[in-house]
Amino acid sequence: MLLDALLLQLGYNATLVAIGATLLGISAGVTGTFLFLRKRALVSDAVSHATLPGVCIAFLLMAAFGGDGRNLIGLLLGSAVSAGVGLWCLNWLTRNTRLAEDAAIGAVLSVFFGFGVVLLTVIQTLGVGRQAGLEGFLLGSTAGMLWADAMIIAGGGAATLVLIMLLRRPMTLVAFDPEYAAARGLNVSRIDMAMMGLVMAVTVVGLKIVGLILIVALLIIPAVTARFWTERSDRVVLLAGLAGGIAAYIGAAISASAPNVPTGPIIVLMAFALFALSLLFAPNRGVLAAVLRHLRFQRRVHLRQGLLALATGQPIYEKMTLRLLQKSGLMRADGVATEDGVARAAKALRDEKRWEIVRADQSHEAAAALYDGLRAIETVLTPDQITDIDARIGGPKGVAS
Amino acid sequence: MNGEEFVPLSLTPLLIGVFAAVACALPGNFLLLRKQALIGDAISHVVLPGIVVAFLLTGAITALPMMLGAAGAAIVAVVMIEAIRRLGKIEPGAAMGVVFTTMFAGGVLLLEQTDTSTVHLDVEHALYGNLESLIWLDATGWSSLWDIEALAGLPAELPRMLFALIGVALFIAVFWRALKISTFDEGFARTQGIRVEALGMALVITAAVAAVAAFDAVGSIIVIAMFICPPAAARMMTNTLEGQLGWSVLFAVTSAVMGYVLAGYGPLWLGAYDAVSAAGMIATVSGVILALAAKFGPCRSRTGAPAGA
């Protein structure tokens, strides 16, 4: 059943939903990346909640003029207008008052959403009778999706992607270094506004599928996921689009193949699953990689300290050091160094002495700064320099008897 | 309007609304100043899975397990946000966004998967609450306030919300000095021997308790709005913390009362017949208050700080 859904064999509506959701996931992931890099991820929360009053007002207006209140284009236009108003309020509050951005976000989202709920109850009590479906915008509803709806979503998603392709250079620049961007002659506030406009577009397009409460997740989670895998912004953008697309596609397929599984939440949970995998297993930035790095570092420190202790004839009590030395064949079980261990220990002690001279010598200042107790001196100095230092240490001398 | 109608139908919802608003606004002041205003937003989203899990475990809508479930979910969320922030080196806003949307999605999914048709538990209820339905049927008029039998029929949310409010107020009163110092100057607070991290955690937990208690009665919109709007408006009115707390309580009470009255009677004045959502209206009124304060408040502008800070 799930396989059928994944292969788009589950009927017309399910296929429409899957394709629409995938396009939405891709454009949300890509757009969200810039928001995340600009450290304004939660602004999308305010924008998405601010769409509710617009949807309701558009419905009321369209119903009042005798039209079909549920015309998707009209509702989406309404939501875009009110999201724009919300965004303007947010910017105004942060610019003209002492409120920080987080407070302004919270204020805008709660007030607009509250007002939207008031309008929802107005619609309910007006007895228009055809209000069913507006609640669907809260959590998304794909059950009755029409061809036209899917085309709007696909078109909107594609348009956002094209705009992002055009704007990606300036948006990246502003995200990393707004001052430099301004010095280059870019209009930072206008680019920020364009970015917010794109976020708004994605939100509005996504209302139908995932709903206004959960669209935030599609904007934030894929970007955070992608960030684990690479340090290059263009790749983060691509990977975020990929993660968003995969999550949305699998989520839509699961939702189509199982009963009582609403599309929006399952897409979000899929996105989170990808995030959790990345958090744990990503190379370099992942938790597992960090643990392995730590263990490797610990081993090196213990081994080094153990060798130095062997060389100077100090007793070793630390259990881990003993175990490591024995396991690598540097020490016998009774605590006596093997031949190999004696040689390695002598080398370690000699390296330590070489470092001591390097660090005392002003002319080796740059090399001395690299000393951390573990670095092999051969990786820092040339063989000639080491010979020179060894000459200063000198060989064994006879003692007067 | 006379007491016979007012006391049973409007007095209890009004009082619950006021208590909820004040209980959220008080810790909201500190969260706002600490730039943690969105914690309230996050908490009110994650409460949903907690309540659903509690319902699944107990099979009934009873207050105590629900509160425990909600509080548990809030703590899980705070721990997860912190873990993701530290382990993944993610900025706090994004970490918060990841956690609360995921937990909310999980809650919605659980809710859709379980059969809740026999009980009153759905997403809409969680969002808007049902303030209007918390009526006091045993009351016959003002005299019922002294009638033990009638008092026994009070909606359970009223004493619960009152206790939550008293708890929050006590916490702030007891730790007033420490809270004040650590909010404005964490380094100095440390030198004074205040355990800053523990206090910050305690503040978040207090806020969570207020949010959970309020959520049960009035839904999550009021919780978010009351955490942020009254303190933010109060911030424009004064430069002292004491003054800000006072103003925020005033604004919270005004929003609750005006919102409730406008929702209940506003449509009647306009010639319509049915009331609109009280929770939504309270949030709207608090937004109007914030807008007025942002436009005309005496301390609205940023002074002394560099632009863009």
Side-chain angles (χ1 to χ4, degrees):
Chain A
M1 190 69 171
L2 180 60
L3 195 67
D4 286 344
L6 283 174
L7 295 173
L8 299 177
Q9 301 294 312
L10 221 55
Y12 181 67
N13 188 265
T15 308
L16 271 189
V17 172
I19 294 176
T22 311
L23 282 171
L24 173 73
I26 295 173
S27 47
V30 170
T31 314
T33 307
F34 292 100
L35 207 58
F36 170 60
L37 292 177
R38 189 88 171 93
K39 295 196 170 33
R40 296 182 75 188
L42 284 176
V43 173
S44 57
D45 203 18
V47 171
S48 62
H49 282 76
T51 53
L52 186 59
V55 171
C56 297
I57 291 175
F59 178 85
L60 283 173
L61 280 181
M62 286 192 293
F65 286 111
D68 178 13
R70 282 177 298 169
N71 183 318
L72 188 62
I73 296 185
L75 294 179
L76 293 188
L77 277 181
S79 71
V81 170
S82 84
V85 174
L87 205 53
W88 181 83
C89 289
L90 177 69
N91 282 335
W92 189 87
L93 276 177
T94 34
R95 194 164 307 154
N96 295 333
T97 72
R98 51 167 43 167
L99 290 183
E101 185 163 51
D102 66 332
I105 290 172
V108 167
L109 87 85
S110 58
V111 172
F112 273 71
F113 193 70
F115 186 54
V117 169
V118 170
L119 290 175
L120 267 185
T121 47
V122 168
I123 292 175
Q124 271 163 7
T125 56
L126 275 182
V128 188
R130 288 184 296 176
Q131 86 278 18
L134 277 201
E135 271 87 359
F137 281 95
L138 288 179
L139 295 168
S141 72
T142 47
M145 209 157 99
L146 303 174
W147 171 248
D149 299 353
M151 283 318 287
I152 293 168
I153 292 165
T160 353
L161 281 181
V162 170
L163 281 175
I164 287 173
M165 285 306 291
L166 294 176
L167 284 172
R168 69 182 195 286
R169 301 285 315 166
M171 285 203 299
T172 317
L173 194 55
V174 169
F176 281 100
D177 196 341
E179 279 84 13
Y180 175 64
R184 285 283 304 271
L186 292 173
N187 189 335
V188 173
S189 65
R190 193 171 294 168
I191 290 170
D192 267 343
M193 238 155 68
M195 186 169 78
M196 288 304 155
L198 286 171
V199 169
M200 220 169 77
V202 170
T203 310
V204 166
V205 168
L207 282 185
K208 181 78 185 166
I209 296 186
V210 291
L212 62 90
I213 300 179
L214 291 174
I215 184 72
V216 189
L218 273 188
L219 283 164
I220 297 179
I221 300 180
V224 180
T225 307
R227 184 67 186 85
F228 280 107
W229 295 91
T230 170
E231 307 286 329
R232 294 182 51 93
S233 66
D234 49 349
R235 286 190 202 145
V236 175
V237 172
L238 286 180
L239 285 173
L242 191 69
I246 292 177
Y249 184 63
I250 298 181
I254 294 178
S255 155
S257 60
N260 286 337
V261 179
T263 320
I266 193 73
I267 291 179
V268 174
L269 289 180
M270 285 300 118
F272 181 76
L274 288 180
F275 163 80
L277 285 178
S278 307
L279 173 70
L280 291 178
F281 301 116
N284 207 14
R285 283 177 75 100
V287 171
L288 190 66
V291 170
L292 287 180
R293 205 160 43 227
H294 176 77
L295 286 179
R296 236 176 359 244
F297 181 71
Q298 199 178 22
R299 270 177 56 104
R300 283 180 64 197
V301 171
H302 275 274
L303 216 53
R304 177 84 181 174
Q305 292 304 317
L307 285 173
L308 286 177
L310 279 183
T312 49
Q314 288 162 358
I316 302 172
Y317 299 109
E318 168 59 43
K319 292 245 168 52
M320 185 169 174
T321 314
L322 287 172
R323 207 176 58 235
L324 281 173
L325 285 173
Q326 284 164 14
K327 233 170 66 184
S328 34
L330 300 174
M331 183 197 256
R332 293 202 317 244
D334 59 358
V336 178
T338 61
E339 210 166 298
D340 197 18
V342 172
R344 288 274 300 274
K347 164 88 167 63
L349 189 63
R350 190 169 184 87
D351 278 354
E352 204 59 25
K353 185 72 194 169
R354 286 165 171 169
W355 272 114
E356 198 181 308
I357 291 182
V358 168
R359 289 166 72 203
D361 188 345
Q362 290 283 328
S363 62
H364 286 302
E365 202 183 342
L370 294 171
Y371 175 77
D372 57 5
L374 288 176
R375 198 182 287 267
I377 198 161
E378 291 85 356
T379 61
V380 178
L381 297 179
T382 61
D384 289 352
Q385 283 173 312
I386 293 177
T387 323
D388 178 46
I389 290 166
D390 284 352
R392 275 194 257 172
I393 298 174
K397 290 193 190 91
V399 280
S401 52
Chain B
M1 174 153 68
N2 53 17
E4 275 160 45
E5 202 180 310
F6 178 77
V7 173
L9 292 181
S10 291
L11 181 66
T12 41
L14 201 56
L15 279 179
I16 291 172
V18 168
F19 290 160
V22 175
C24 291
L26 281 176
N29 278 296
F30 293 98
L31 294 177
L32 182 86
L33 291 170
R34 289 161 170 250
K35 302 220 189 313
Q36 294 179 325
L38 288 172
I39 287 270
D41 181 27
I43 291 174
S44 60
H45 279 88
V46 303
V47 160
L48 180 71
I51 287 184
V52 178
V53 168
F55 169 74
L56 286 179
L57 291 179
T58 61
I61 301 243
T62 37
L64 189 66
M66 298 252 158
M67 301 272 280
L68 287 179
I75 291 170
V76 168
V78 170
V79 170
M80 264 175 79
I81 292 172
E82 207 48 25
I84 288 179
R85 202 168 67 84
R86 298 242 169 105
L87 293 178
K89 298 179 192 71
I90 306 281
E91 53 134 346
M96 203 188 272
V98 170
V99 171
F100 81 74
T101 52
T102 304
M103 289 184 70
F104 188 79
V108 173
L109 202 63
L110 273 180
L111 201 54
E112 296 283 334
Q113 289 281 305
T114 47
D115 177 30
T116 49
S117 52
T118 53
V119 293
H120 194 63
L121 182 65
D122 52 44
V123 178
E124 277 82 17
H125 172 216
L127 289 174
Y128 334 141
N130 53 344
L131 193 54
E132 298 88 342
S133 69
L134 301 172
I135 48 179
W136 183 19
L137 283 175
D138 295 335
T140 48
W142 288 107
S143 58
S144 302
L145 286 178
W146 287 271
D147 183 356
I148 305 287
E149 268 177 51
L151 282 177
L154 271 177
E157 282 84 358
L158 183 64
R160 208 181 300 146
M161 202 60 240
L162 182 62
F163 286 133
L165 173 59
I166 292 173
V168 169
L170 269 181
F171 171 78
I172 290 178
V174 169
F175 293 102
W176 173 258
R177 212 181 80 89
L179 273 174
K180 189 173 178 179
I181 297 177
S182 71
T183 299
F184 288 105
D185 193 340
E186 209 178 291
F188 179 63
R190 256 182 242 277
T191 65
Q192 296 292 299
I194 297 169
R195 294 178 56 198
V196 180
E197 286 84 10
L199 193 65
M201 197 67 200
L203 179 65
V204 171
I205 290 174
T206 309
V209 169
V212 170
F215 176 85
D216 180 38
V218 296
S220 60
I221 308 173
I222 295 196
V223 174
I224 310 173
M226 287 304 133
F227 264 123
I228 296 174
C229 292
R235 184 88 180 86
M236 320 267 192
M237 303 301 291
T238 168
N239 277 326
T240 64
L241 185 59
E242 292 81 0
Q244 190 186 325
L245 244 65
W247 277 108
S248 73
V249 170
L250 179 71
F251 287 148
V253 173
T254 316
S255 316
V257 174
M258 270 184 66
Y260 184 79
V261 172
L262 279 180
Y265 304 103
L268 300 181
W269 299 334
L270 291 177
Y273 299 104
D274 297 291
V276 295
S277 161
M281 197 49 116
I282 291 175
T284 311
V285 171
S286 75
V288 172
I289 292 176
L290 174 62
L292 290 176
K295 197 78 194 147
F296 305 110
C299 304
R300 63 185 183 278
S301 59
R302 201 178 274 128
T303 47

